[in-house]
Structures are given as structure tokens and as C-alpha cells.
Amino acid sequence: MGEPHGPRADQQKALPGMATTISCRSPALCRRVVAQGLAVVLVLGGAVFGAPAVRAADPPGDLAVHDTPRSIAPLEFRDGSGRRVTLSDFRGKVILLNLWATWCPPCREEMPTLDELQRRLGGENFEVVALSLDRQGKEPIREFYSNNGIDNLRLYISSSTGVMSKLRGRGLATTLIVDRRGREVARKVGEKDWSTPQMVAYLRDLIEREGTGSASTRNRTGDPSVPDDAGS
């Protein structure tokens, strides 16, 4: 008698994780289908058993993250040695631009957390730029830094009355997160703890997503823990 119609038993293959079998008239086709099934199972298994999905870290809820980056007006200020600095000098690194003053209580409260953030993330790809709007010059800032253990932030100051309007600020403290291309990607108005694990994770993720870059380091030390005006 002839063989019964239909696939032979050795040509009936069950895909891993599947209760049913598939029938192949061609052994080569059958092997190819089984291989594709295995690939699907491995991908799904990885997603279920420990291969985390790649996604951006969630920003803190009190941080206003823009849907699209916003341009920032040109801004000029001075460092601790009196040298001229512009925002474009920081192109190539992510920065957290904090507008503050020694006479502002919320600013004073959050300054140690900014110092800690700079200690943890500061370097060639990130910097906390604490821009003081004190009208009395650099001495009150140096005194505040010294009295409060602020060791990692560089001294930046502007006596211009137009800084807040240029940055569309509504008061102190105001903080902008700026990408490597000099665009504002997020903002916070008011006091905040900038050293929380969620904040650090969000910024670290932003730095990594922005890629590596080389900012202008004119007249700056390579060590973020050493202010430009150290010893001056």
C-alpha cells in the first residue's frame, strides 16, 4: 500500500511554547519555520524574563519638560575672575542653569543640592552653572560658598537687569536645563532638591541620549571640583 497522504511524522514540528504542530511538505521549509519560531520565543522571553525595555528616565513631576527644545537668547556674564562668559561657551555639554542670589531664601536652601549634583555629574559632559544676580559683587557669593560648604560650583555673576527678561524668568529661583546645542529642554521655578535619585537619573539619561561632546573650555579647569577662581 502507498503511504497515506499528508506529512510524515518526522516532518511535523512543534514550535517551542506552542501546543499545536505545523506540517511541512519540505524539510528545508520546516527547518526555516522552526528557526523563526525560536527567534520569536527568545525575543519574547527576553522581554518577560529580565531584558528591560530601553526608555528615557522619567523626569521629576515638578519639572516642566518642553515637548520641543526652545531657543535661548544670547546671554553674557562673568566668572569669578572677572572673565567674560557666554552661554555659547558651554556648547557641547548639558548644563543646568540656575538663577539665584544670596538674598533669596529658596535659592540658599537649594544651593547645597546643586553643589552635590555638580559633584556627582559634573565633568566634560555636564555642568551646573549657578548664575548669581547679586548686585553687591562677588564677595557675598564667596562668603556664602565658604560658609555653606559649596566646594564644587564655579562662581558666575551678572549685574545685568535684563537676565530675567531674556530668559523669560518670573522670579528666583529659576532653573533651566539646557541641551548640548544650547536649547532649553526643561525648566523649574522655585526651590528644588536637585540631588534626588530621580533627578540624577533623569539628567544622566539626558546626557547619554545627547551623546558625548566637547564644550569650549576656555579659561576653565578640567576638574569640576576646582572653581575657576580658586585661590584668587
Side-chain angles (χ1 to χ4, degrees), residues 18-89:
M18 297 183 181
T20 59
T21 62
I22 59 172
S23 298
C24 304
R25 295 186 180 279
S26 164
L29 175 62
C30 199
R31 287 193 297 270
R32 187 159 60 248
V33 171
V34 170
Q36 292 172 346
L38 283 170
V40 170
V41 170
L42 288 173
V43 170
L44 294 177
V48 172
F49 297 109
V54 177
R55 65 181 181 86
D58 293 329
D62 59 350
L63 190 67
V65 180
H66 308 317
D67 292 333
T68 57
R70 300 177 179 179
S71 61
I72 300 177
L75 194 63
E76 179 180 319
F77 43 96
R78 301 285 171 173
D79 67 10
S81 298
R83 292 183 290 252
R84 174 180 175 271
V85 182
T86 68
L87 278 184
S88 61
D89 290 336

Side-chain angles (χ1 to χ4, degrees), residues 113-130:
T113 72
L114 290 166
D115 189 62
E116 173 62 15
L117 180 63
Q118 174 65 19
R119 186 190 69 80
R120 296 184 64 177
L121 296 183
E124 65 178 4
N125 292 309
F126 177 80
E127 182 174 346
V128 174
V129 178

Side-chain angles (χ1 to χ4, degrees), residues 13-226:
K13 304 291 183 180
L15 294 181
M18 297 183 181
T20 59
T21 62
I22 59 172
S23 298
C24 304
R25 295 186 180 279
S26 164
L29 175 62
C30 199
R31 287 193 297 270
R32 187 159 60 248
V33 171
V34 170
Q36 292 172 346
L38 283 170
V40 170
V41 170
L42 288 173
V43 170
L44 294 177
V48 172
F49 297 109
V54 177
R55 65 181 181 86
D58 293 329
D62 59 350
L63 190 67
V65 180
H66 308 317
D67 292 333
T68 57
R70 300 177 179 179
S71 61
I72 300 177
L75 194 63
E76 179 180 319
F77 43 96
R78 301 285 171 173
D79 67 10
S81 298
R83 292 183 290 252
R84 174 180 175 271
V85 182
T86 68
L87 278 184
S88 61
D89 290 336
F90 298 93
R91 289 288 181 91
K93 66 166 64 174
V94 174
I95 68 170
L96 187 147
L97 176 62
N98 175 261
L99 304 180
W100 75 290
T102 58
W103 44 261
C104 165
C107 305
R108 296 170 65 93
E109 286 295 322
E110 71 177 359
M111 194 57 59
T113 72
L114 290 166
D115 189 62
E116 173 62 15
L117 180 63
Q118 174 65 19
R119 186 190 69 80
R120 296 184 64 177
L121 296 183
E124 65 178 4
N125 292 309
F126 177 80
E127 182 174 346
V128 174
V129 178
L131 177 57
S132 171
L133 303 184
D134 278 88
R135 300 287 184 82
Q136 289 76 32
K138 294 175 286 188
E139 290 311 313
I141 306 169
R142 287 197 175 101
E143 182 179 354
F144 176 83
Y145 277 19
S146 176
N147 292 341
N148 293 275
I150 307 300
D151 301 320
N152 303 291
L153 298 178
R154 298 186 174 103
L155 193 159
Y156 297 108
I157 185 170
S158 173
S159 59
S160 171
T161 59
V163 171
M164 292 297 291
S165 61
K166 281 187 175 182
L167 297 179
R168 301 183 295 275
R170 295 185 295 171
L172 299 180
T174 293
T175 304
L176 283 63
I177 298 176
V178 182
D179 67 13
R180 295 184 190 273
R181 296 172 61 182
R183 304 173 302 176
E184 178 184 336
V185 296
R187 173 179 296 231
K188 172 71 173 76
V189 178
E191 177 190 347
K192 178 175 178 58
D193 183 347
W194 295 98
S195 60
T196 64
Q198 186 180 19
M199 189 70 235
V200 172
Y202 169 72
L203 287 171
R204 184 174 282 125
D205 180 77
L206 177 63
I207 293 166
E208 292 174 355
R209 283 188 286 122
E210 285 276 312
T212 59
S214 177
S216 169
T217 55
R218 179 181 61 94
N219 296 327
R220 298 199 184 94
T221 65
D223 184 354
S225 67
V226 180

